[in-house]
């Protein structure tokens, strides 16, 4: 089963195109509960309530910061490993945003696909084809069921600093990156997708329309705490004819600790609060 088939199968099984991001706000965790206990408990509660998501995306940076390698302490990596082993959904998208010269990228591809056994990884395109190709070759030859999402138009405010610069043909940089992603998808693997944020809906619509008939997988951040709306995103994709089963709409802190945005402590019924948020999100992202 290749990555596109995995996306289609898991979306149909879950009945939605959700991606549950794992970006833990450690200060928002319930008192006395470790990060791995928190998410493993939440996964167990989701299973009991028959709430299914269509992918899970842990961000490696949140866990790497907990490591202290010079002291022989790898509690962050070990916590992430426990969470990964307990994750109730596929694909497992490792959010690491790697991208370096070819030899380094080859090692980062090994890290994602072999060390962490991720189904997919996020990658930066800034250094071009020789930076992307080791991931693409790993997908195409060594690990045919793997995928990667290349940063295209990101959801963060600073993304416009480079991505929205206008080129000599009058088009923004992010549309030129979209051309490259479509080219790499065609040349290397159908598992090569794009990260397209939902915080600017006009830009999102342009990119969704561009990718629709090319069947390029989309990872869509910017929904939830960043202010985007899942129903609006779904409506746009239907309007432009983009296949919903190939996208994953991500929300992170709004699902796992929605109280943090109000700077409140975790409530005593935190499990139910999270379940309600996740259930609502899956309903908004229904196929």
């Amino acid at each position: 089963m290749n990555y596109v088939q995995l996306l289609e199968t898991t979306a149909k099984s879950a009945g939605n195109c959700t991606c549950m991001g794992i970006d833990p706000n450690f200060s928002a965790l319930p008192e006395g509960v470790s990060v791995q206990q928190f998410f493993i408990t939440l996964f167990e509660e989701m299973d009991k309530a028959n709430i299914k998501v269509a992918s899970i995306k842990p961000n490696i940076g949140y866990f790497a910061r907990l490591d202290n390698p010079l002291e022989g302490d790898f509690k962050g990596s070990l916590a992430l490993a426990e969470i990964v082993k307990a994750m109730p959904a596929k694909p497992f998208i490792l959010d690491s945003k790697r991208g370096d010269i070819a030899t380094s990228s080859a090692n980062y591809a090994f890290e994602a696909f072999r060390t962490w056994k991720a189904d997919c990884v996020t990658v930066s395109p800034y250094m071009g084809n020789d930076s992307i190709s080791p991931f693409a070759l790993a997908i195409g030859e060594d690990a045919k069921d793997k995928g990667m999402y290349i940063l295209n138009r990101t959801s963060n405010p600073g993304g416009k600093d480079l991505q929205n610069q206008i080129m000599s043909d009058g088009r923004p940089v992010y549309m030129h990156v979209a051309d490259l992603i479509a080219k790499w998808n065609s040349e290397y693997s159908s598992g090569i997708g794009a990260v397209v944020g939902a915080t600017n809906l006009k830009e999102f619509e342009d990119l969704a329309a561009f990718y629709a008939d090319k069947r390029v997988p989309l990872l869509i951040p910017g929904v939830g705490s960043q202010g985007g709306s899942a129903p609006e995103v779904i409506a746009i994709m239907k309007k432009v004819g983009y296949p919903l089963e190939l996208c994953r709409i991500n929300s992170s802190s709004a699902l796992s600790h929605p109280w943090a945005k109000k700077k409140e402590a975790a409530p005593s019924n935190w499990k139910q609060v999270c379940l309600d948020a996740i259930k609502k999100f899956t309903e908004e992202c229904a196929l």
Side-chain angles (χ1 to χ4, degrees), residues 142-159:
D142 188 42
K144 291 181 169 52
D145 58 340
K146 306 297 185 180
M148 71 168 161
Y149 293 104
I150 299 172
L151 304 181
N152 188 175
R153 179 60 179 100
T154 56
S155 60
N156 61 306

Side-chain angles (χ1 to χ4, degrees), residues 254-256 258 272-282 284:
L255 304 183
S256 56
Q272 190 59 52
V273 171
C274 291
L275 288 179
D276 290 345
I278 297 167
K279 184 173 187 294
K280 181 176 184 291
F281 189 61
T282 60
E284 290 177 341

Side-chain angles (χ1 to χ4, degrees), residues 119-138:
D119 298 304
C120 190
V121 63
T122 55
V123 178
S124 169
Y126 190 77
M127 295 178 71
N129 182 66
D130 59 339
S131 174
I132 294 293
S133 61
F135 292 95
L137 291 173

Side-chain angles (χ1 to χ4, degrees), residues 35-46:
V35 64
Q36 59 266 47
Q37 289 173 329
F38 176 84
F39 282 103
I40 291 170
T41 300
L42 187 53
F43 295 155
E44 291 171 348
E45 294 299 316
M46 289 167 61

Side-chain angles (χ1 to χ4, degrees), residues 11-35:
K12 289 173 183 175
S13 175
N16 58 66
C17 54
T18 56
C19 177
M20 180 178 177
I22 297 182
D23 302 352
N25 180 334
F26 297 102
S27 64
L29 295 176
E31 188 175 355
V33 179
S34 70
V35 64

Side-chain angles (χ1 to χ4, degrees), residues 41-63:
T41 300
L42 187 53
F43 295 155
E44 291 171 348
E45 294 299 316
M46 289 167 61
D47 182 61
K48 291 177 187 175
N50 196 31
I51 298 173
K52 297 181 180 180
V53 295
S55 58
I56 299 181
K57 180 179 69 66
N59 187 309
I60 198 170
Y62 287 81
F63 296 90

Side-chain angles (χ1 to χ4, degrees), residues 12-216:
K12 289 173 183 175
S13 175
N16 58 66
C17 54
T18 56
C19 177
M20 180 178 177
I22 297 182
D23 302 352
N25 180 334
F26 297 102
S27 64
L29 295 176
E31 188 175 355
V33 179
S34 70
V35 64
Q36 59 266 47
Q37 289 173 329
F38 176 84
F39 282 103
I40 291 170
T41 300
L42 187 53
F43 295 155
E44 291 171 348
E45 294 299 316
M46 289 167 61
D47 182 61
K48 291 177 187 175
N50 196 31
I51 298 173
K52 297 181 180 180
V53 295
S55 58
I56 299 181
K57 180 179 69 66
N59 187 309
I60 198 170
Y62 287 81
F63 296 90
R65 63 167 287 185
L66 299 179
D67 288 344
N68 189 359
L70 297 182
E71 301 296 330
D73 180 0
F74 295 92
K75 61 177 172 289
S77 295
L78 292 172
L80 177 57
E82 288 188 49
I83 291 169
V84 168
K85 289 176 183 177
M87 289 193 310
K90 278 185 165 287
F92 158 29
I93 303 169
L94 183 66
D95 193 354
S96 56
K97 300 180 178 71
R98 304 303 196 194
D100 206 330
I101 62 172
T103 51
S104 298
S105 280
N107 285 301
Y108 283 132
F110 188 97
E111 173 200 34
F113 298 136
R114 296 304 177 193
T115 302
W116 284 106
K117 299 186 180 353
D119 298 304
C120 190
V121 63
T122 55
V123 178
S124 169
Y126 190 77
M127 295 178 71
N129 182 66
D130 59 339
S131 174
I132 294 293
S133 61
F135 292 95
L137 291 173
I139 294 168
E141 297 174 3
D142 188 42
K144 291 181 169 52
D145 58 340
K146 306 297 185 180
M148 71 168 161
Y149 293 104
I150 299 172
L151 304 181
N152 188 175
R153 179 60 179 100
T154 56
S155 60
N156 61 306
K160 67 181 186 302
D161 295 346
L162 287 176
Q163 298 162 18
N164 284 47
Q165 292 297 307
I166 302 301
M167 305 291 283
S168 58
D169 64 354
R171 297 193 306 155
V173 168
Y174 66 79
M175 286 308 304
H176 286 268
V177 175
D179 289 338
L180 286 172
I181 292 172
K183 175 175 176 285
W184 290 328
N185 174 279
S186 176
E187 290 182 355
Y188 287 120
S189 168
S190 60
I192 294 177
V195 177
V196 179
T199 46
N200 185 310
L201 294 180
K202 175 60 172 68
E203 293 173 356
F204 176 79
E205 181 172 341
D206 290 344
L207 285 163
F210 173 79
Y211 287 126
D213 64 347
K214 300 173 180 63
R215 293 181 59 80
V216 171

